[in-house]
Amino acid sequence: MKILVINGPNINMLGIREPEIYGSKTYSDLVELIKKEADSLGVEVKFFQSNHEGAIVDEIQQAYGKFDGIVINPAAYTHTSVALLDAVKAVGIPTVEVHISDPDTRDEFRKISYIRQACVATVKGKGFDGYIEAMKILVNK
């Protein structure tokens, strides 16, 4: 099984950005955790992080026919991007939405997720472990 792990804007700033919300671990720590779990699950993973909406859309489109699942943390684009929603719908790859924090307990605007309707599941508020849960959801589908 091949899973594409996509992270949106500012995820590259983990460990620096609002540690009271996102913790002190870095993006590199996140990648290593996912790689380790992927190995134990027998899953191949590819990582992609971008602060640019169009680049994320391109990556989703390029996954068509190559990946069995997508784990995506769209970050701020969760609340603004119809383009990401349309890209996930277009490729038809089972996708799990992940959020390190629980957006429903934060600012009012963060309660809106455009991409959610194209996803098979959403995992939120479980820190880095949410990515592991998301992979397991895809493996068990």
Side-chain angles (χ1 to χ4, degrees), residues 85-131:
L85 166 66
D86 288 348
V88 171
K89 284 175 148 181
V91 297
I93 300 169
T95 300
V96 178
E97 173 189 18
V98 174
H99 299 284
I100 295 168
S101 68
D102 183 350
D104 292 337
T105 64
R106 297 180 60 200
D107 311 287
E108 194 63 30
F109 71 88
R110 293 185 195 275
K111 295 178 183 175
I112 297 166
S113 172
Y114 285 99
I115 200 168
R116 188 162 297 155
Q117 65 183 282
C119 294
V120 298
T122 298
V123 180
K124 55 189 176 178
K126 297 187 177 183
F128 286 8
D129 289 339
Y131 290 84

Side-chain angles (χ1 to χ4, degrees), residues 53 77 80-87 114:
E53 182 179 27
Y77 291 134
T80 64
S81 182
V82 174
L84 294 183
L85 166 66
D86 288 348
Y114 285 99

Side-chain angles (χ1 to χ4, degrees), residues 10-126:
N10 299 307
I11 300 299
N12 58 311
M13 299 299 289
L14 287 171
I16 298 167
R17 177 184 177 220
E18 300 177 279
E20 67 281 1
I21 295 172
Y22 300 104
S24 59
K25 292 185 178 176
T26 66
Y27 179 69
S28 294
D29 295 332
L30 175 62
V31 168
E32 287 308 311
L33 174 73
I34 294 168
K35 280 182 184 176
K36 184 177 176 182
E37 185 63 27
D39 286 346
S40 73
L41 291 170
V43 172
E44 184 180 328
V45 289
K46 177 188 175 195
F47 297 91
F48 181 78
Q49 188 280 323
S50 181
N51 297 318
H52 305 281
E53 182 179 27
I56 298 170
V57 169
D58 290 343
E59 192 70 19
I60 293 168
Q61 290 177 356
Q62 291 167 14
Y64 182 75
K66 298 176 187 158
F67 287 89
D68 304 299
I70 297 173
V71 171
I72 187 168
N73 181 342
Y77 291 134
T78 304
H79 323 293
T80 64
S81 182
V82 174
L84 294 183
L85 166 66
D86 288 348
V88 171
K89 284 175 148 181
V91 297
I93 300 169
T95 300
V96 178
E97 173 189 18
V98 174
H99 299 284
I100 295 168
S101 68
D102 183 350
D104 292 337
T105 64
R106 297 180 60 200
D107 311 287
E108 194 63 30
F109 71 88
R110 293 185 195 275
K111 295 178 183 175
I112 297 166
S113 172
Y114 285 99
I115 200 168
R116 188 162 297 155
Q117 65 183 282
C119 294
V120 298
T122 298
V123 180
K124 55 189 176 178
K126 297 187 177 183

